[in-house]
Amino acid sequence: MQSSQKRNPLKRILTVRGAGQVITVTIGLIVLCAVFALLNPNFTSQRNLNNLMRQIAPFLIVGIAQSYVLITGNIDLSIGSVLGMSCMISATLMTRGMDPWLASAITLISCLAVGILNGVLVINCKLPPFIATLGTMTIARGIAQIVNNNMNTDAIGDGAMAFRDFFYYGKFLGIYSTVYIAIVLWLVFNFILSKTRTGSHIYAVGSNLEAAKLSGVNISKVVIKAYMVSAFCSGVAGLITCATGGLGTMDAGLSYELYAVAASVIGGVSTLGGQGILLGTIVGASVWGVMQNGLSLAGAPVALRNIIIGVIVVISVLADVIVRSGKRPRRIRDAVAEAVAAKQ
Amino acid sequence: MQEYLVELQGVSKSFPGVQALDHVQLNLQAGEVLALLGENGAGKSTLMKILSGIYPKDEGVTRVYGNAVENMTPQKARELGIAIIHQELNMCQHLTVAENIFLGREIVRGGRLARREMNAAAGEVLRHLNIDIDPETIVGDLQLSKQQMVEIAKALSTNAKVLIMDEPTSALTAKEINDLFTIIRKLRAEGHGIIYISHRLEELQYIADRVTILRDGQYITTMNYRDTSLREIISYMVGREIKEKFPRVDCEPGDVIFEVKNLNAGRLVRDINLSVRQGEIVGIAGLMGAGRTETTRAIFGVDPKVSGEIWLRGQHVNIRRPEDSIRAGIVLVPEDRKRDGLCVKLSIKDNIALPNLDILCNRLTVVNRRKKGTMTDQTVHDLRIKLPNADVDAASLSGGNQQKVVVGKWLARHSKMVLFDEPTRGIDVAAKVEIYNLMNELKRQGIGVLFVSSEMPEILGISDRIVVMCDGRITGELPIGEATQEKIMDLATRFESKINHATA
C-alpha cells in the first residue's frame, strides 16, 4: 500500500532541498574547467591547482556563512565588514604584542557579538534582515576603521609566523593550510545542517516560520544561531586575510557578502529560504574561484571578468527559476491522474 | 455528570477596538465530533486559538480533563494533547513528510537526527490512518488534500486526544472529503474528541454529533445534531432566518453576447466552445483539475492560447494579455482573492482604482484624486460594501466584502462580461447570498455572467445553464430545468480513457 507513492530513491535525493541544481552546476563547473584547461595548459598545472584551491577556500567559508542565513530565509549583508573587522582587530592586537592565538580568540568573540546582534535585530526586533544587516555592515566597517585610528596596521611581525602558517602559508601533504581550514569548517557545519536538530530547525524556519513556531521550535534561537555561524565564518575568513597580507587592511572583505550570496545561489541555495545544501555551496564557491583564476590565466581584463562572472550568476539563478516554474504542470497532471484513479 | 475532555467557561477576549469573544462556553466529550459554527467574525477561530494557547484569554476558565489550566501556551496545549489543524495549512513545504511530523520534537540519538527511526514512526502513524504517503516525500510535492492528511498525522503523532480542525475541507474534492470523513470517524471511534469548524453545513450530516453556535463573539446555543435542522442552525448563526439560500431572478434570455470558439490552451483547455446569452448566468461544473480555472485564465489572457476565438457582442476580440481583455470589457474575478484578486496591503480605494487608472489619469498620467474618490464611493455604495472607510487595507475586510471589492473594481469600468472563479469560497452563508444577489443584479443589467464553482448546490441554485467539464474538455451542457447532481457528476467523470473503452 505504500508502494504507489514510493518514488525512485535517486529522484527523491535530487528533489530534497534543491539538490538537483548541484548536479547541473557541477556539470557546468567541469565544462568550465575543461574550457580553461584548453585555453591555457597552465590551468591544470600542479602549482595552479594548488593556488586555485587556496583561492576558493575563502569564498567557500563566506559561502557557508551566507548559506546558513539564506536557508533561514534571511540575508547577512555584514559578512564582508565582519571579515574586515576581524582582520583589523586581530592585526591591531598582534602589532601591540598580543599572542596571536589569544588575539584570534578575542577577534572571533567580537565577531560572534555582531552575529548575535544581527540575529536579535532580525528575529526579536523584527527588522527586515536587509536593513538590519545593512546597519551592522556599516557599524562593523566603522569598527574596522576605528581600532587602529583609521589606518591600516603595520606588519604583524615575526612573532606571528606560526599564525601566518596556520592560516595561509603552511602546507601539509602538499596542500595549503587554508584549504584544510575550509574543509574542516565545511565538515562541521555540513554535519550540523544535515544531521542535527538545529539543522532541521534552520530549514523549517526558512520554509515556514509560522509553522515552525507553532510546532514548538524556538525560532529566535535558530535565527540567532544561523547569524552566529555566519559571523564566525566571516571572522575566520578575516583571520585568513590577515595572515595572507601579514597586516590589517581596513577595506578587507569589501563586497564579500555579495560573493557569498553568489556562491550560495549558484550552488542552489534559495534566497527565499528553506532550500539548499552546503555541497552546493562548495560547487558555487568553486565556480566563482575557477572563473576568477581561469579568466586571469586566459588573460581577460578585469572589467571583462566582472561582466562574465555577473552574467554567470544571473544565468544560474534564471535556470533555477525556469526549472522550478516547469514543475507546475506536473502537479496538475497528478491531480488529473488521481481523479481518474478515483473514478475507476 | 459527564466527563469532558475540554471545557471552556466564560471565555472573553478583546482585540484593540473589538470584543472578539464575550463570555463564551464550549465543552467536548471523548468520542464525539463537535461542530463549531458561526459566520465569519463570529469568533470561532479566536476561541480555538485560545484553546490551543496561541492567544491568551482575558477572562474565563479552561479545563482539560477536569483540571483548570492557566496560561495556556502552544507548548502546554501540545503536552496536554490538544492539537489544532489550521485553516491555512502550516507545513514546511521544503521538508519531508516525516520531518514535518516530527518538527519541534525530533528524535536525536548521540547528537544526530535519527532519520530512519523518524521515518519509520511517521510511516506507522500514516499507516494507522490508512493514508498512503511515503514519509520521505517532500511535502510541497503533495496535493493539498494529502498535505492536510499529513497535518492530521502530525497532530496524532503527538498523542493528541483533542483535535481541532479549522475549515479542513475548503480546498478538497468530494472524494478527498470522503477520505477525510473516514479518518474522522475512525478517530472518533478510538475515543478522540474533535472540534470541527466548517462553512459547508451540508457536511455536518456525515460526522457531527453536536453543534455549538457562536454569533458576533457571543455564545448562542449547543444542540444535538440529530435534534435540529439546517434551517434552524442557519437561523441561529445569522440571527434571522434566511429565506432563500439561492435567490433567483428570472430574465428573458436575449441574444448571445459572449462566445468562445474552439479554444485550446494546453492539456486542460481543449476545444472549448461555449456561449453566454444576455440575462443568463452560465455555471461551469466539474471536478478539481477539470480545467475550469484554466479555461477562465485562458479566456482572460493570463495563460497563452494555442488557438481559438473570443466574440463579445458580435465583435471578434483579440486577447493576448489581460489588458486586451479588460479593455474589451471581459473581466475575471479570480479564485484566490488574496493572492490574485487584491493587493491586500493597499487600501480599498487603491484596489478599486488599480485597473481603472486609464480612466482616472489625465494625459500626463497624473491620477485625478477627486475622480478616484468618486469612483470608490460609487462602487462602495452600489455594491453595499461594508467598510469603516475606503482607506483601510483590503486585508482588513471580511471575505465577502473583499470579494465585493474585487467585483467592484471591474464594474467601475462598465465591464460587459464577468468571469467568476469560485466566487464564494471561504465566505459565510449570509455573505454568499449577497454575492448571489450581486450576480443576479449583473444578469438583470444585461451583463454576461460565467462562473466556476465546485459546490453543486450553488451551481444548481444560481445558474440558468450548466456547462460540465472533465479533463480539459466540455463533456456536456444542461439547461437548469434538466440538471441534477447525478447528471452533472456523470458528465464530470467522463474521462477520455473511459470513452475509448466504451467505443472500442
Side-chain angles (χ1 to χ4, degrees):
Chain A
M1 156 201 131
Q2 286 278 313
S3 60
S4 71
Q5 287 275 331
K6 201 109 195 164
R7 290 185 299 170
N8 180 345
L10 181 70
K11 197 174 151 199
R12 185 160 66 210
I13 290 167
L14 290 187
T15 51
V16 170
R17 288 165 191 172
Q21 196 183 339
V22 178
I23 306 221
T24 36
V25 178
T26 307
I27 295 169
L29 178 64
I30 294 168
V31 172
L32 212 55
C33 289
V35 170
F36 284 131
L38 287 176
L39 284 176
N40 189 339
N42 282 337
F43 181 77
T44 47
S45 70
Q46 183 68 39
R47 197 184 140 80
N48 186 55
L49 287 182
N50 243 337
N51 274 327
L52 176 62
M53 279 196 283
R54 187 163 62 172
Q55 229 174 330
I56 291 171
F59 292 134
L60 174 59
I61 295 172
V62 294
I64 294 170
Q66 193 65 279
S67 295
Y68 257 70
V69 177
L70 289 177
I71 292 171
T72 64
N74 295 298
I75 194 166
D76 188 352
L77 293 183
S78 70
I79 287 175
S81 296
V82 170
L83 194 162
M85 186 181 105
S86 156
C87 180
M88 279 305 289
I89 291 179
S90 59
T92 306
L93 291 176
M94 281 185 253
T95 51
R96 307 264 160 95
M98 187 182 277
D99 174 70
W101 307 113
L102 181 60
S104 305
I106 292 174
T107 303
L108 289 178
I109 290 169
S110 34
C111 293
L112 284 175
V114 178
I116 295 171
L117 177 63
N118 277 333
V120 169
L121 287 177
V122 168
I123 195 77
N124 297 13
C125 307
K126 307 214 180 334
L127 292 187
F130 199 92
I131 306 300
T133 59
L134 185 66
T136 52
M137 165 179 129
T138 317
I139 294 170
R141 186 61 69 190
I143 293 173
Q145 289 158 341
I146 219 167
V147 281
N148 198 36
N149 295 323
N150 214 9
M151 279 187 299
N152 291 341
T153 70
D154 299 329
I156 53 179
D158 297 339
M161 260 343 275
F163 166 82
R164 296 188 67 182
D165 281 344
F166 180 81
F167 280 104
Y168 195 72
Y169 289 101
K171 264 191 180 181
F172 180 69
L173 298 177
I175 292 173
Y176 286 113
S177 52
T178 317
V179 179
Y180 289 108
I181 291 174
I183 290 174
V184 168
L185 287 179
W186 185 84
L187 287 174
V188 170
F189 288 119
N190 187 53
F191 176 81
I192 293 176
L193 193 59
S194 61
K195 301 276 190 248
T196 69
R197 178 186 305 211
T198 302
S200 251
H201 287 177
I202 283 176
Y203 282 104
V205 162
S207 178
N208 188 338
L209 190 71
E210 199 58 28
K213 194 161 96 185
L214 294 177
S215 301
V217 173
N218 185 338
I219 53 167
S220 18
K221 224 158 113 187
V222 172
V223 171
I224 291 172
K225 273 185 196 166
Y227 273 107
M228 282 173 73
V229 168
S230 174
F232 177 80
C233 289
S234 314
V236 172
L239 295 177
I240 291 173
T241 313
C242 175
T244 309
L247 77 165
T249 40
M250 291 185 297
D251 54 4
L254 217 55
S255 5
Y256 264 57
E257 60 280 348
L258 303 179
Y259 301 157
V261 172
S264 306
V265 167
I266 294 174
V269 177
S270 163
T271 50
L272 303 174
Q275 208 164 36
I277 53 177
L278 284 193
L279 195 62
T281 311
I282 289 192
V283 183
S286 303
V287 168
W288 195 260
V290 165
M291 291 297 290
Q292 301 273 9
N293 179 291
L295 285 172
S296 79
L297 274 187
V302 178
L304 184 62
R305 253 188 268 169
N306 285 340
I307 291 173
I308 294 176
I309 295 175
V311 168
I312 296 264
V313 172
V314 173
I315 288 179
S316 63
V317 180
L318 196 64
D320 184 40
V321 170
I322 291 169
V323 168
R324 235 180 287 174
S325 67
K327 253 184 180 173
R328 217 169 280 150
R330 196 167 58 211
R331 279 201 205 139
I332 294 169
R333 229 176 295 142
D334 286 348
V336 173
E338 204 197 33
V340 175
K343 166 80 181 163
Q344 281 157 357
Chain B
M1 179 82 203
Q2 196 118 29
E3 188 68 22
Y4 292 120
L5 285 179
V6 169
E7 230 182 322
L8 294 171
Q9 273 176 352
V11 172
S12 298
K13 171 80 187 168
S14 61
F15 293 109
V18 196
Q19 181 78 30
L21 291 173
D22 184 11
H23 294 92
V24 171
Q25 63 185 66
L26 173 148
N27 52 53
L28 177 72
Q29 300 161 17
E32 74 162 353
V33 176
L34 174 73
L36 180 58
L37 305 174
E39 291 187 274
N40 281 345
K44 297 164 298 186
S45 293
T46 309
L47 185 63
M48 290 303 102
K49 282 182 175 163
I50 285 175
L51 176 55
S52 57
I54 296 167
Y55 294 156
K57 58 179 182 288
D58 298 345
E59 225 185 305
V61 187
T62 307
R63 279 202 200 89
V64 183
Y65 314 126
N67 306 317
V69 180
E70 281 308 312
N71 301 322
M72 186 73 96
T73 61
Q75 195 81 35
K76 218 188 251 180
R78 201 167 57 187
E79 281 159 15
L80 287 167
I82 299 170
I84 182 163
I85 294 160
H86 296 271
Q87 191 170 2
E88 299 90 22
L89 289 180
N90 261 304
M91 297 258 99
C92 294
Q93 301 281 328
H94 301 93
L95 304 190
T96 68
V97 170
E99 282 170 332
N100 267 293
I101 288 178
F102 282 97
L103 182 57
R105 44 190 197 89
E106 293 82 359
I107 303 174
V108 177
R109 298 262 179 262
R112 297 173 58 129
L113 290 174
R115 278 194 205 285
R116 206 166 298 158
E117 205 173 318
M118 288 193 277
N119 285 336
E124 196 56 46
V125 178
L126 293 168
R127 235 183 330 274
H128 176 70
L129 292 172
N130 286 329
I131 303 171
D132 182 15
I133 301 174
D134 179 357
E136 291 178 67
T137 322
I138 301 289
V139 164
D141 291 345
L142 292 173
Q143 294 152 14
L144 226 48
S145 58
K146 293 273 161 107
Q147 291 188 22
Q148 191 127 39
M149 307 275 170
V150 174
E151 280 252 38
I152 295 173
K154 178 177 174 180
L156 291 176
S157 72
T158 62
N159 290 320
K161 283 298 277 181
V162 176
L163 218 53
I164 303 163
M165 298 189 188
D166 194 351
E167 291 274 354
T169 56
S170 57
L172 303 191
T173 63
K175 152 99 170 60
E176 292 164 344
I177 291 174
N178 264 329
D179 291 348
L180 178 70
F181 287 173
T182 311
I183 291 175
I184 290 178
R185 279 186 222 115
K186 185 177 161 93
L187 295 174
R188 175 169 64 185
E190 287 170 4
H192 293 270
I194 293 153
I195 300 176
Y196 187 90
I197 300 178
S198 179
H199 284 307
R200 299 189 176 186
L201 300 178
E202 63 276 11
E203 288 170 1
L204 299 181
Q205 53 183 304
Y206 302 108
I207 46 167
D209 298 308
R210 289 191 304 149
V211 292
T212 289
I213 297 173
L214 305 183
R215 185 172 71 229
D216 300 331
Q218 309 265 349
Y219 171 81
I220 302 299
T221 181
T222 297
M223 304 176 284
N224 280 325
Y225 183 76
R226 276 195 312 275
D227 308 336
T228 179
S229 66
L230 275 189
R231 207 184 175 82
E232 191 184 8
I233 290 175
I234 291 172
S235 69
Y236 277 123
M237 281 168 61
V238 299
R240 59 182 188 280
E241 237 172 297
I242 291 188
K243 288 198 195 66
E244 277 181 301
K245 266 176 82 184
F246 299 107
R248 193 171 262 291
V249 172
D250 283 317
C251 296
E252 194 57 39
D255 299 336
V256 170
I257 49 172
F258 175 74
E259 230 177 331
V260 177
K261 291 182 183 168
N262 305 321
L263 177 67
N264 281 289
R267 230 192 71 68
L268 287 174
V269 182
R270 291 184 287 163
D271 204 24
I272 300 295
N273 284 290
L274 52 82
S275 61
V276 178
R277 286 150 47 132
Q278 183 148 1
E280 183 183 56
I281 295 180
V282 177
I284 306 184
L287 299 172
M288 208 120 122
R292 297 166 300 165
T293 295
E294 290 74 10
T295 303
T296 58
R297 285 171 63 94
I299 294 173
F300 190 54
V302 191
D303 296 334
K305 301 178 188 50
V306 176
S307 64
E309 289 178 358
I310 311 285
W311 292 71
L312 184 67
R313 294 188 185 277
Q315 300 246 312
H316 175 235
V317 233
N318 190 7
I319 299 173
R320 289 157 135 203
R321 286 178 309 234
E323 294 99 292
D324 303 331
S325 182
I326 294 167
R327 217 162 290 145
I330 303 168
V331 295
L332 174 69
V333 179
E335 179 176 6
D336 191 336
R337 286 186 295 283
K338 286 191 189 140
R339 205 188 66 197
D340 301 330
L342 289 170
C343 300
V344 284
K345 287 182 181 169
L346 296 186
S347 70
I348 310 299
K349 210 185 260 178
D350 288 334
N351 267 293
I352 291 175
L354 183 61
N356 303 314
L357 289 173
D358 51 342
I359 306 172
L360 297 175
C361 290
N362 67 12
R363 227 172 276 154
L364 293 170
T365 72
V366 177
V367 179
N368 183 329
R369 294 186 52 186
R370 196 177 314 138
K371 270 196 204 167
K372 183 169 157 184
T374 319
M375 177 185 272
T376 310
D377 293 343
Q378 185 72 36
T379 307
V380 168
H381 175 259
D382 286 353
L383 301 186
R384 289 187 291 268
I385 305 173
K386 273 179 236 148
L387 39 79
N389 62 66
D391 290 314
V392 297
D393 284 0
S396 65
L397 296 186
S398 70
N401 281 309
Q402 283 182 354
Q403 192 67 291
K404 287 189 191 170
V405 173
V406 182
V407 180
K409 73 177 186 186
W410 293 131
L411 297 187
R413 59 183 301 126
H414 308 293
S415 301
K416 302 182 189 77
M417 176 73 212
V418 185
L419 314 172
F420 289 91
D421 193 0
E422 301 284 359
T424 62
R425 171 160 291 170
I427 294 180
D428 62 52
V429 188
K432 275 183 183 176
V433 175
E434 291 200 47
I435 297 291
Y436 300 143
N437 282 331
L438 180 59
M439 289 162 76
N440 283 331
E441 183 57 33
L442 297 182
K443 158 167 139 182
R444 194 161 16 202
Q445 290 172 14
I447 296 172
V449 179
L450 183 68
F451 85 110
V452 170
S453 173
S454 295
E455 292 192 35
M456 278 292 188
E458 177 174 296
I459 282 270
L460 289 166
I462 295 302
S463 325
D464 295 302
R465 193 152 51 83
I466 298 168
V467 171
V468 188
M469 283 185 72
C470 172
D471 208 10
R473 295 162 304 118
I474 290 181
T475 46
E477 204 180 298
L478 299 164
I480 192 64
E482 294 171 20
T484 62
Q485 295 218 14
E486 290 71 27
K487 278 188 193 164
I488 293 177
M489 215 46 214
D490 178 47
L491 290 170
T493 49
R494 286 212 182 149
F495 287 93
E496 235 165 2
S497 55
K498 201 181 167 192
I499 295 169
N500 288 344
H501 278 297
T503 51

